Amino acid sequence: MYDIDINSKTPIYVQLYEQIKKDIQSNLKAGEKLPSIRKMTLEYKISKNTVQSAYNQLYAEGYIQSIPQSGYFVSKDLYETIQNNQNQEIINQKEENSIKYDFYPACLSNDLFPKKIWLRLYNKVLKSDLNMGVYHDIQGDILLREKIAKYLIQSRRVNCSANNIVITSGFSDSLHLITQLLKNFITKVAFETPSYKVAKKVFLQHDFKLEEIKVNKDGIDIKALNNSSSNLLYITPSHQYYFGVTTPIAKRVEIINWAKTNNCYIIEDDYDSELSYNNRPVPAMQSINNNQQVIYTGTFSKSFSPSIRVAYLVLPKEILKLYKKEFDYFYSSVPIDTQKTLALFIKEGYWDRHLRKVRTINKRKHDIMKDFFYSKMIDEIDILRQGSGLNFLIKPKIDIDLNQLVKKASKKNIKLYLRSLDENTDVLSMGFGGFEEEDLKEALNSFYTLWKKQER
Amino acid sequence: MYDIDINSKTPIYVQLYEQIKKDIQSNLKAGEKLPSIRKMTLEYKISKNTVQSAYNQLYAEGYIQSIPQSGYFVSKDLYETIQNNQNQEIINQKEENSIKYDFYPACLSNDLFPKKIWLRLYNKVLKSDLNMGVYHDIQGDILLREKIAKYLIQSRRVNCSANNIVITSGFSDSLHLITQLLKNFITKVAFETPSYKVAKKVFLQHDFKLEEIKVNKDGIDIKALNNSSSNLLYITPSHQYYFGVTTPIAKRVEIINWAKTNNCYIIEDDYDSELSYNNRPVPAMQSINNNQQVIYTGTFSKSFSPSIRVAYLVLPKEILKLYKKEFDYFYSSVPIDTQKTLALFIKEGYWDRHLRKVRTINKRKHDIMKDFFYSKMIDEIDILRQGSGLNFLIKPKIDIDLNQLVKKASKKNIKLYLRSLDENTDVLSMGFGGFEEEDLKEALNSFYTLWKKQER
């Protein structure tokens, strides 16, 4: 009845199991008795263990029942409709990479990532006695946290130590963790407007009410903040997310005082503070007056690599306590090999060197953009952001349909990115980070040709 | 007045900036005029650009204001209390690693991770044209998703393709994503009891109501489920989280029908299905009848490495749609180099080989535990879980204070893990995965010595 091939690569018990299962699915009835192990042994000249293994598997999957002193029976309550596993065709959705020029506002050129050094350090890490069989520290690797603390103290004046740093896998991961903690006692967040739409979405996903607060030339509107009923402020003081404005020190102190007076928290998103082209970076707001109001977030995405998914939080004492309680099970989402390699990268001095390089190269590209806009387009656009980060923000002064422009550019394999200033006003976020220097001018010329055609 | 050292490594403009800043903080008054750039140039014999740079930096940080045609002034609304950045001492909290035997229920021995092969593939990946300067696919690397799909179809009979897989950084990451999506239309979850406390906590963190449903000898109590008012079920059908029970096929079909009839979703947590020692793994529940009810979650933590932080979700159509809408900004939290290396690892056949090894080695350790418990302790304990995964669950039949046992073991550098069966009953979860084979017997003997001492 069953077809056993002793020369097959498939173990005999599996052959038997597969065939009996098929039999159950198509022929046998519920309650029907299966041949005894002894009978099977004799009939197919196979060992008792082999039959037992096949029956065990069928039993484990619930196809058969075992009744002591009686034998094995097809499960009584087995449904007729058993799995009909039509494997869906695997559709390969690989995006065709035909884009010629991509003005994405937040990427870095491929040549900036120090592959050789990284590889050397990675090899060193993996060849060490690093145990890959266990869960590591829930806050992140202690060595990496120490190195980040040292960097933040020196370069951003942040009040921190390895103890109040949490390693995360990107800004949105950081914000999810924080909103998860804060939502238990805070319901409303004051939000710079316009600002980072991802942050906005995460707050809304955690059911926060959003109080939009206007951004002036020198950052957030302090009067509006003082009149607000929120207990939390999300802010990008180093370079305001849209306009790149640096919040002046006086205003920073006022914001800190607002938080102290009203017992509020501030989320300081310091996403690209390393990339200041006209000035040295301004110290973090978190550093002012040893305050315990600021939850500081930083990332390696803008100045190192968005692909390695590493960011960090610096938590005030009370929030750290909450974190340890709420996320006692949540092992740092960054692989330990990545964490250890990055720690070594900073420890051995490569991080400082890399930062200088990333600043120099991106300043050059920034200046190419700036020269282009000022020499060719300054009568047609207002430049809303420049001088920092990886993008310009430009707003047409002329009558032009930006949506049409984006579409037509797309047909020419040029990717442009629209942002909303408010409900009625669209602007273009023009990233330069992803370009190799030599391509940038050509890309800008191509863009400008399309722009000219689109003018009304 | 200012002390400029042209031989210093610190750029002159920084020297000037630092000193003026100090001056503002300690001497100058709000509104006081700064020397003109021309005057500074003459006085210190430095270039106009150098002075301008220093002033720009002070301006950017808000210390000074610029009034056109008048010059630079100390900011009017500057507070007296400026940052007092006392760098906290970095306290090195490295845990002393003095543990001799660790019975942690969910780790693997260090020697199981294929470091050499992994390194070789990692080097290959990084030396390719992989772009580390960009954000990659939000669902995860397409090649890795294809490889996981192929594996899941072949070994777990899961209905999937690369398109409905999402790569995450661990089970709790997976569950956070899912609860975030489901909480918009589901408020109550039926939860196997006892089961995985981390899952329970994540549901509670997302404000789900929990309906606890008893686990019988053959898995969840179907009657209780049919009477439940939940629209979601969290279940571990391959090996029930506490008892290792495999839900029989008949019951699986009943559960699927419950979900279909009541328009509910099921989260199938298939955390250690690869590790079955007495039978071949049972196909996933998700595979039954092409259903669209099951959200399937798997992980590389139990059979490959908890340190690399890789897990995955297989989403039904409707949930996938929601995911793409809600998490359009959330780039896969796993580093692209890790994803690409893992994809290559599976593609080149190492994954299948690794699984055989991990099963064989852990079965041997499982059998050592089993032999020990049956030969020495079977009159003193009930074995509640065996035959799969990385741990046994044992419940004393004798009068013994488990809390005391855990404490005393800890003093001897032996780590034991208590779990609650219910409010009144504690049990021991005895992991074997982390041991090298040759240490396990000795560890068990040490444990038993303490156990004997603790008997009342």
Side-chain angles (χ1 to χ4, degrees), chain B residues 48-308:
Chain B
K48 208 177 139 183
N49 277 344
T50 305
V51 185
Q52 188 70 61
S53 296
Y55 280 17
N56 282 353
Q57 182 67 27
L58 289 164
Y59 177 75
E61 293 187 26
Y63 285 96
I64 62 175
Q65 294 177 307
S66 157
I67 298 175
Q69 270 102 47
S70 297
Y72 291 94
F73 300 82
V74 175
S75 287
K76 277 197 176 138
D77 43 2
L78 194 67
Y79 282 73
E80 282 169 16
T81 48
I82 300 295
Q83 72 221 52
N84 173 23
N85 185 21
Q86 295 169 316
N87 299 338
Q88 290 173 26
E89 204 185 324
I90 298 179
I91 301 162
N92 193 330
Q93 275 193 325
K94 276 175 196 162
E95 201 182 305
E96 279 183 62
N97 208 337
S98 54
I99 299 165
K100 195 175 173 197
Y101 298 129
D102 191 344
F103 284 95
Y104 189 72
C107 57
L108 294 163
S109 56
N110 194 10
D111 57 338
L112 264 182
F113 188 82
K115 280 190 177 181
K116 271 189 192 168
I117 296 166
W118 184 265
L119 254 188
R120 190 165 55 72
L121 299 177
Y122 188 88
N123 278 273
K124 201 169 166 183
V125 163
L126 221 66
K127 282 174 184 163
S128 75
D129 59 356
L130 179 65
N131 189 343
M132 297 294 285
V134 296
Y135 291 85
H136 292 270
D137 198 299
I138 60 164
Q139 275 183 248
D141 182 56
I142 182 74
L143 187 66
L144 178 57
R145 286 190 278 133
E146 278 170 10
K147 293 302 151 198
I148 289 174
K150 203 176 160 194
Y151 163 68
L152 289 178
I153 291 166
Q154 283 174 357
S155 79
R156 313 287 308 120
R157 315 268 166 96
V158 170
N159 275 306
C160 65
S161 74
N163 300 323
N164 64 337
I165 288 180
V166 174
I167 309 290
T168 71
S169 57
F171 167 75
S172 51
D173 189 30
S174 292
L175 197 57
H176 271 287
L177 289 174
I178 280 302
T179 46
Q180 190 66 46
L181 293 177
L182 297 181
K183 72 170 189 176
N184 294 313
F185 56 97
I186 292 179
T187 53
K188 199 171 175 184
V189 56
F191 196 83
E192 288 182 293
T193 301
S195 186
Y196 191 24
K197 64 176 178 174
V198 167
K200 192 169 173 173
K201 192 160 183 179
V202 174
F203 283 119
L204 292 175
Q205 284 178 332
H206 286 87
D207 302 321
F208 277 77
K209 277 179 199 149
L210 233 82
E211 185 175 24
E212 310 218 326
I213 300 208
K214 233 185 97 187
V215 173
N216 295 329
K217 271 189 186 162
D218 62 346
I220 197 166
D221 182 335
I222 274 287
K223 269 190 194 165
L225 181 66
N226 279 325
N227 290 328
S228 102
S229 58
S230 298
N231 289 100
L232 176 64
L233 166 67
Y234 169 81
I235 192 169
T236 49
S238 286
H239 302 136
Q240 202 277 335
Y241 191 80
Y242 259 63
F243 306 121
V245 184
T246 301
T247 305
I249 183 70
K251 199 169 212 176
R252 286 170 183 238
V253 174
E254 283 189 276
I255 294 169
I256 294 290
N257 283 351
W258 164 81
K260 280 191 177 176
T261 310
N262 299 289
N263 200 19
C264 300
Y265 283 104
I266 295 164
I267 298 175
E268 176 177 18
D269 182 1
D270 209 18
Y271 64 109
D272 70 353
S273 61
E274 297 93 350
L275 303 175
S276 268
Y277 305 126
N278 300 330
N279 309 99
R280 293 201 319 155
V282 174
M285 215 162 94
Q286 197 262 15
S287 68
I288 295 172
N289 215 2
N290 280 326
N291 73 78
Q292 287 290 317
Q293 267 64 45
V294 176
I295 297 158
Y296 179 87
T297 77
T299 177
F300 286 91
S301 292
K302 302 294 179 284
S303 53
F304 188 59
S305 162
S307 311
I308 65 156

Side-chain angles (χ1 to χ4, degrees), chain B residues 366-384:
Chain B
H366 166 273
D367 291 350
I368 290 171
M369 296 278 277
K370 190 174 165 181
D371 287 350
F372 186 90
F373 288 142
Y374 276 96
S375 65
K376 293 209 169 169
M377 296 184 73
I378 203 62
D379 295 334
E380 301 165 64
I381 56 169
D382 282 324
I383 299 177
L384 303 186

Side-chain angles (χ1 to χ4, degrees), chain A residues 99 102-105 406 415-419 427-431:
Chain A
I99 299 165
D102 191 344
F103 285 95
Y104 189 72
V406 170
K415 275 194 94 171
L416 299 175
Y417 297 85
L418 276 189
R419 294 289 178 264
V427 292
L428 281 174
S429 181
M430 301 290 289

